[in-house]
Structures are given as structure tokens and as C-alpha cells.
Amino acid sequence: MFATNDKVYQILTPAGEVVGDLPDLSAGQMVSWYRWMVFGRTFSDRMVALQRQGRMGTFAPLNGQEAASVGMAAPLQPEDWLVGSYRENLAYLVKGVPLLALLKQWGGDIPDSYPYEVHCLPFQISLGTQMLHAVGLAQAIKYEQKPHVVVAVCGDGATSEGDFHEALNLAGVFKAPVVFVVQNNGWAISVPRHQQTAAKRIADRGPGFGIPSYVVDGNDLLAVYQIVSDNVARARAGDGPVLIEALTYRLGAHTTADDPKKYRPEAELQEWLQRDPLPRFRRFLLDRQMLTEAEDKQLHAEVAAEIQAAIESYEALPPPSPRQLFDLVYAEMPPQLRRQQEELMRDLEPAYVEPSRSRPLQQPEFVHELELA
Ligand SMILES: Cc1ncc(C[n+]2csc(CCOP(=O)(O)OP(=O)(O)O)c2C)c(N)n1
Ligand SMILES: [Mg+2]
């Protein structure tokens, strides 16, 4: 088993040196994960560009966190659940969420377009709340005596939320089949990690809840895969939850509404660029002849074409109606909310014209004070 939270688990150093046991995986398997990492980066870059062109809503780039994202989703079986935040888009794609569904969600649609069988809750914006939802799911799995697990993911900043602590406490007491993963990317918008907790590691919080905890190099795809895989198996066997802290870094801005140059030292970024998970794994595959330069080039072209096709499908869709803002909040809409919805639609129509997806998203121009119930 791995050392606990005083040792950072690693298989492949940033220089490409193998320092741990390589998982027994085929070349095809590893190249498919590398392809997912390329997919994540290409998707993230395209989303930022689309937002800048007024063709997409606010987006949270995932650059730098590709290894953690792929490594945490790859060990999951179809019936296992993955529950994460806005930063886990790539993990969601690996788990099977259609790219179109994510485009719609970032574009302002109610996220009702995830097929149920992918077993992902809509990515969460309200920090930390998903950790409790995940424990609820895990308890349901246990109650039904199913052999499934839940991987619950949040960021370093979200660990300061009460929900995070409540989730760990509940899971520890009930031995819920859940693997908690914290993507510690160093920052919560402009708040650095050391302001979230005086503990040396975020993983130090696990033992206080009776939960074994590990720290992994989150930019080392194979290490993340291995540690999540082992602990998913452990949870599946009924041995309860674990907490895994993945050390990674957000190479881009917090979101398209943020400018990290205002608060983040350039030297820190440069340091982490040296640990970029993509070139590291690429070098590993090239050195071991699992991938050629030509195959890599082709893979990049295929990924770009796939993403382009999804964007075209998205832009051909009718835009979401403002009506949706009120739908799906409650199973049965309370009367005051229904009144507000009707009022909004009355205010918007007939002046409000549904914009075409082939044009930049338009904000309806209106000022309206919502009726207080
Ligand atoms: C409950 C709650 N409080 C505040 C926010 C505003 N907010 C959005 S993202 C964010 C920072 C989160 O940082 P972290 O958990 O480290 O995740 P990261 O963005 O780094 O992936 C904050 C404070 C929110 N979405 N939800
Ligand atoms: Mg963070």
C-alpha cells in the first residue's frame, strides 16, 4: 500500500524518470488516455476562444489538470458515479458525458442533457455541495447492496466549506463507498492554498475523520490512475472512504472572467509549466515507442475535428429559453416562482427575440425587480 499523507506518491517524474511501479497497462490503453489529455487541453483552449468571440458563456479552463482529471475517471466502471465541479469537465468526458451536454451547460442551458447511464451529476458551481450529494449517492448504493462506488471531487478552496467536512464525517461514520479527490491546484481564484488551512497538507484532514489519506502528484497520470484505482477497489470491497489530495496547478485563469496576472507570481507559473502533465506523458510514450510523432500529429488533428463538429452541433441548436431559469429547481414549482417566471416572460415578450446560435449570444436588455414572495 502507499505511504500516507507525508509522502507524495509518484510514478513518473517531470523529467520522465520512472520512480514507481508502472501499472500493467497496454500501450493502446495509455495512448487512449493521452488522447483524452490532448482532448481536454484542446477543448479548454477552444472554449476560451469561443467565450472571447461571444459564442460561449463564462468558462473555467482546465489546462494543467489533465492528468488528474483523466486519472481519476479512468478506473471507474460505467455504474460508478463521478461527482465534481466546473473544473472536472475532462473527467466527465472520460466517464462518458457527451461534449455537447457540456457545451450546452456552459452556454447557459439547464444541464438536463446528461444521459443517466453516464452516472455523473451535473457539474457543480456551488463549492463543496457536491461532496454531500456524493455521500448520499454512496449511501444509496450501500443500501441497495450494489457493488458500485462514487468518486467525489472538489478543489482546494472548497475544502474550507462546511459541506466538505460534513461529507467526510458522514462517509467515515457510515463507511460509505466514496473516494474523495481534492484537486489542489494551488489557488481558489486569488486565494492561495496556504490561506485555506494551516495544515501542512489538505490530506491531513482525513485522519481526523478516521479516513485514510494520500497525496499524489496530480500531474502524473499513471500515479493518479493507480492510487484512485486501488482505492476505488478498496471502497468497492466495503472498506470505506479515502481522501486523495492531487497536487496540480491551474496553468490558466480561474475563469474567462479572471486575470491571474493580478495576483499570481509569474515565477510560480513558470515553475509549474516545467511540470506540465501533457509533455511529460507524451515524452514517456515517445521514448517507449508507444507513440510516434506522426501518430501524435494525427491524434491532435482528429481531436480538433471532433471538437469542431460538436461546436457546430451546439451552435445549430436553438438557444435556451430564459424560462429555463426557473424550471427544474423544484420537482413542483412553488406558486411564487411560477408567478415570477410568468412575469419575466411577459416582460421579455414580444420584444425578446430568441437569438440564433449562429450569432453571438445576446443578453436580453431589461431591468426588472423580481417580486419577493
Ligand atoms: C459556496 C460558494 N462560495 C463561493 C463561490 C465563488 N467561487 C467560485 S470558484 C471559487 C474558488 C474555488 O477554488 P477551488 O475550490 O480551489 O477550485 P478551483 O477553482 O481552483 O478549481 C469561489 C470562491 C462559489 N461558487 N460557491
Ligand atoms: Mg483551487
Side-chain angles (χ1 to χ4, degrees):
M1 208 42 213
F2 308 106
T4 49
N5 44 9
D6 51 5
K7 179 177 178 282
V8 178
Y9 179 60
Q10 193 177 54
I11 292 179
L12 199 62
T13 68
E17 192 193 347
V18 177
V19 291
D21 294 336
L22 283 176
D24 186 17
L25 297 162
S26 67
Q29 182 69 82
M30 292 206 236
V31 171
S32 78
W33 292 347
Y34 169 70
R35 187 184 196 277
W36 272 123
M37 290 210 287
V38 171
F39 199 102
R41 176 119 354 152
T42 313
F43 161 70
S44 183
D45 289 344
R46 275 307 308 269
M47 290 294 274
V48 172
L50 288 175
Q51 191 278 340
R52 293 289 185 256
Q53 293 162 19
R55 293 160 66 190
M56 182 49 67
T58 304
F59 177 71
L62 57 89
N63 304 41
Q65 299 185 222
E66 294 87 350
S69 305
V70 176
M72 72 173 77
L76 296 182
Q77 294 173 4
E79 301 262 14
D80 295 332
W81 283 83
L82 179 63
V83 178
S85 80
Y86 50 83
R87 198 78 66 194
E88 276 75 54
N89 272 210
L90 177 56
Y92 271 39
L93 288 165
V94 174
K95 186 71 174 64
V97 173
L99 180 53
L100 187 60
L102 296 178
L103 291 169
K104 284 176 71 180
Q105 194 172 349
W106 286 110
D109 251 315
I110 293 284
D112 61 350
S113 51
Y114 292 13
Y116 179 80
E117 51 295 354
V118 301
H119 293 105
C120 290
L121 295 187
F123 70 73
Q124 184 58 270
I125 309 266
S126 192
L127 296 178
T129 52
Q130 76 274 18
M131 307 309 262
L132 279 166
H133 305 156
V135 178
L137 278 171
Q139 282 297 90
I141 288 169
K142 212 175 147 190
Y143 181 76
E144 293 186 339
Q145 300 185 332
K146 296 269 172 63
H148 314 315
V149 299
V150 184
V151 166
V153 200
C154 70
D156 45 296
T159 67
S160 297
E161 288 287 336
D163 287 7
F164 174 81
H165 298 262
E166 291 162 24
L168 262 69
N169 193 46
L170 274 170
V173 169
F174 293 112
K175 277 191 133 190
V178 54
V179 173
F180 296 108
V181 179
V182 175
Q183 288 219 56
N184 174 3
N185 63 7
W187 293 87
I189 315 184
S190 57
V191 180
R193 144 68 185 90
H194 66 83
Q195 284 181 20
Q196 297 296 343
T197 169
K200 184 169 164 243
R201 300 278 191 204
I202 285 171
D204 288 340
R205 291 168 165 195
F209 296 105
I211 296 180
S213 303
Y214 304 98
V215 186
V216 63
D217 178 344
N219 286 7
D220 178 352
L221 170 65
L222 297 178
V224 178
Y225 164 76
Q226 192 62 65
I227 203 157
V228 174
S229 178
D230 285 6
N231 285 292
V232 158
R234 181 182 179 279
R236 207 187 297 288
D239 292 332
V242 298
L243 170 63
I244 297 170
E245 176 182 1
L247 300 176
T248 182
Y249 196 74
R250 157 164 71 71
L251 293 176
H254 170 69
T255 63
T256 45
D258 172 53
D259 176 8
K261 289 198 181 77
K262 297 230 184 305
Y263 56 82
R264 204 167 65 171
E266 175 63 20
E268 184 183 283
L269 172 64
Q270 291 308 322
E271 197 184 309
W272 277 93
L273 279 169
Q274 306 305 313
R275 302 181 207 156
D276 188 334
L278 262 165
R280 186 190 314 194
F281 200 54
R282 180 175 181 275
R283 190 73 266 149
F284 171 80
L285 296 175
L286 289 171
D287 286 351
R288 290 180 180 241
Q289 279 93 47
M290 295 187 203
L291 181 76
T292 64
E293 297 276 2
E295 284 164 349
D296 187 32
K297 212 173 154 196
Q298 191 189 338
L299 177 152
H300 273 81
E302 282 170 14
V303 161
E306 207 177 309
I307 292 169
Q308 178 60 26
I311 292 167
E312 282 168 21
S313 305
Y314 163 71
E315 292 194 319
L317 289 172
S321 165
R323 183 178 283 283
Q324 279 197 355
L325 284 169
F326 300 83
D327 291 336
L328 305 181
V329 179
Y330 294 90
E332 279 172 42
M333 199 183 290
Q336 71 271 28
L337 206 58
R338 174 144 335 266
R339 277 203 303 279
Q340 289 174 17
Q341 183 183 45
E342 282 160 8
E343 215 174 316
L344 173 70
M345 296 315 290
R346 250 198 331 272
D347 269 19
L348 293 174
E349 290 157 354
Y352 175 72
V353 181
E354 302 266 314
S356 150
R357 280 283 193 211
S358 56
R359 288 181 282 125
L361 290 178
Q362 294 170 1
Q363 301 296 332
E365 277 179 34
F366 72 100
V367 181
H368 180 71
E369 280 183 27
L370 287 178
E371 173 200 344
L372 293 175

